[in-house]
Amino acid sequence: MNFTVEVPEKAKIQVSNENRYVYLTTEKHYDPKRKFNVDKRRCIGKLSDDDKLIPNETYFEMFPDQKHLMPAPDHSDTIKIGLHVLYEHILDTLDLGAVIDTVYQENAGIVKDVASYMITEETSAIQHFENYGFDHPVFSDHIYSDGRISELMHSMTMAKHDLFLEKWNLLHNETEGIYISYDSTNMNSAATGAKLLEYGYSKDKESPLPQINVSIGIDQTSLMPMLYELYPGSIIDNTQCQHMVNMVHKFGYQKIGFILDRGYFSEPNIHYFEDNHYDYIIMAIAGTDFVHPAVEETRLKLRDCSEYYMADYGVSGMTADYRYTINDGKCRLMHVFFNETRAAHERRIIKEKFAQYDKQLDMLVQAKTTLKKTANRYSSHYHLKYLGEYLTGYTRNKEKIDAELQDCGYFVIITSQDMTAEEALKTYRHRDTSEKLFLADKTFLGADTIRVHSDESIESKTLINFIALIIRNEIYKQTRVLYNKSKKDFTIPAIIRELDKIIITRDSKGKYSLRYALTKTQKDILGQFHITEKSFTKKAGELCEQYSSAK
């Protein structure tokens, strides 16, 4: 609706092309030839159907005190459309939008909106969503308040989130011969009322807050986030691993494998992978009895023989003849690697650690009042002497400390498939992508802290965060060519800022139009998604029409 005011006194009306324009005299000039005054007039707007004045900018220049009469619009005069066009394209291309529509129905728009907001604003704190919706297009029929969004997230059921994951994975579960990179992180919160929040092992060592653990599985080939799961903060990754296998089995995946870090390494987990006929590449825990024979067999060769050096990775590696068996006769390949640079670093840390322990034990001995229960924490690497219950002396357990020093720089990867050491390392290191995704999730989407107070809201917010991660990762994947050309101009934050510059603006008649032509950088970014300037301009025109007609 156009804003109207009363027509000023002494205004003149002129008709042109069926429109009635309103003019106001600003100056009078005497014409000596014609011998009368000539008015100099300026157009201040046009008449509405009810004979009120629809003012233009000139009106407010002449009547600046009238500006306060204009009601606040629902949308800014400048709307940033670039990212919305890209998000909508990705949702359509991946069939992600269709899955959201099917599962969340009347709430589908707000799910897409909050996911878009998280990516654009690089935060999961939704209290500023109304500000975002003021100058960005939204998928919903109107802009929700943060309170209403919280209500909607609380009302979304876990059954729907499970259905979303099921339908999302149905789009991909026929893929064969891929590895799913699986990793976990934790989210902290000071909120009360959520049963999932529990104290446990925190990857952020400085955080004293209760937490929720979240694991995400990513297709190693397509770099697509496939699934996630939440579990209480007190549950460690190792014990949750089998639940993840059950989820993958439920979604119908068959000929796939898993890539996991040492946090998931255990005999029961390896048995569980094999019982369900899934391959795996897993980093073993250093220094365990499982891997010791393989390290001993290859130790000298890796350290002293140049033929095992892998220049592309800066490490030496080979597949051990020793086969890791778990009381069932099946053989698993053990690939042993030695990193000379890391070995020197680890040795220095260990030596400094025990030098510090020596100083601490000296103080405890000198105190002459140190009880066994206090000194006992040093017993794994020291021989402690007592008189009665009190510590009187110590000596280093040199054999144990030296064994720890000897193992520095060595690491072991176990695989269920027959492959070379270099193939195992190459595939395992490719999982760095999943770690970068976790970094993106925690750093750029703000998923390191939970800001809701119920299990239902936590489940809903994590689901939306997962959707945002899918979209953001698609941007990451499709723009790698540009990033390799310029690591400054084509990071994901830089791309977001660049596309956010594409705007439509509203004129005095309430009509929106595309303000500027696309820049070369913008064309390059959109071109990676096969969005041409012509197709973008068409979509911009549709948004202009939509917001021009908005009441």
Side-chain angles (χ1 to χ4, degrees), residues 45-98:
K46 68 178 182 178
L47 291 181
S48 64
D49 294 338
D50 57 355
D51 293 330
K52 294 288 186 71
L53 173 64
I54 302 172
N56 59 17
E57 290 300 320
T58 302
Y59 173 85
F60 291 110
E61 290 177 15
M62 300 178 66
F63 301 95
D65 58 321
Q66 295 296 310
K67 277 200 171 183
H68 71 279
L69 297 176
M70 182 177 289
D74 292 332
H75 302 284
S76 171
D77 290 340
T78 299
I79 299 179
K80 305 171 183 178
I81 67 166
L83 287 168
H84 180 83
V85 173
L86 178 60
Y87 296 154
E88 187 172 43
H89 175 83
I90 291 174
L91 287 167
D92 290 343
T93 302
L94 300 180
D95 289 329
L96 178 59

Side-chain angles (χ1 to χ4, degrees), residues 283-325:
M283 180 74 74
I285 298 175
T288 61
D289 293 338
F290 304 125
V291 303
H292 185 71
V295 173
E296 284 299 306
E297 174 198 322
T298 59
R299 183 189 302 280
L300 296 179
K301 292 180 181 178
L302 293 176
R303 192 186 66 188
D304 300 330
C305 298
S306 61
E307 65 181 290
Y308 300 108
Y309 185 69
M310 303 174 181
D312 290 342
Y313 303 100
V315 302
S316 297
M318 63 182 296
T319 302
D321 290 331
Y322 170 78
R323 294 293 185 264
Y324 171 50
T325 60

Side-chain angles (χ1 to χ4, degrees), residues 153-154 191-196 452-459:
M153 288 199 298
H154 183 74
T192 58
K195 296 178 181 178
L196 285 169
V452 290
H453 296 263
S454 68
D455 288 342
E456 293 82 4
S457 296
I458 290 172
E459 293 277 359

Side-chain angles (χ1 to χ4, degrees), residues 73 206 240 283 288 297-298 360 417 428 445 501 541:
E206 297 180 358
Q240 188 66 20
M283 180 74 74
T288 61
E297 174 198 322
T298 59
Q360 293 171 5
Q417 284 190 328
Y428 183 84
L445 300 182
K501 297 176 184 176

Side-chain angles (χ1 to χ4, degrees), residues 160-172:
K160 286 199 170 184
H161 304 330
D162 291 342
L163 180 60
F164 169 85
L165 284 177
E166 181 179 343
K167 288 188 173 296
W168 173 242
N169 281 274
L170 281 174
L171 297 175
H172 307 90

Side-chain angles (χ1 to χ4, degrees), residues 91-235:
L91 287 167
D92 290 343
T93 302
L94 300 180
D95 289 329
L96 178 59
V99 175
I100 296 172
D101 291 340
T102 300
V103 174
Y104 294 100
Q105 300 175 4
E106 69 276 5
N107 291 329
I110 196 61
V111 170
K112 298 175 187 176
D113 284 335
V114 175
S116 301
Y117 165 80
M118 287 179 173
I119 303 169
T120 304
E121 300 298 316
E122 298 185 339
T123 182
S124 62
I126 60 173
Q127 61 261 39
H128 303 300
F129 180 80
E130 284 183 281
N131 294 333
Y132 166 83
F134 182 66
D135 61 0
H136 287 85
V138 294
F139 292 95
S140 304
D141 53 2
H142 63 281
I143 302 169
Y144 287 91
S145 67
D146 61 318
R148 181 56 180 153
I149 293 173
S150 296
E151 291 175 5
L152 290 172
M153 288 199 298
H154 183 74
S155 67
M156 294 179 187
T157 63
M158 290 178 60
K160 286 199 170 184
H161 304 330
D162 291 342
L163 180 60
F164 169 85
L165 284 177
E166 181 179 343
K167 288 188 173 296
W168 173 242
N169 281 274
L170 281 174
L171 297 175
H172 307 90
N173 65 2
E174 292 183 2
T175 306
E176 296 183 358
I178 66 167
Y179 278 95
I180 291 181
S181 180
Y182 193 76
D183 209 341
S184 66
T185 187
N186 48 260
M187 301 181 291
N188 304 310
S189 178
T192 58
K195 296 178 181 178
L196 285 169
L197 282 169
E198 293 182 354
Y199 287 96
Y201 171 78
S202 176
K203 299 184 180 183
D204 176 8
K205 300 290 194 304
E206 297 180 358
S207 176
L209 298 173
Q211 64 190 31
I212 293 173
N213 295 329
V214 58
S215 297
I216 297 181
I218 301 156
D219 182 338
Q220 184 88 329
T221 303
S222 68
L223 305 182
M224 184 72 71
M226 303 307 303
L227 51 91
Y228 75 93
E229 57 180 345
L230 285 175
Y231 49 99
S234 62
I235 298 177

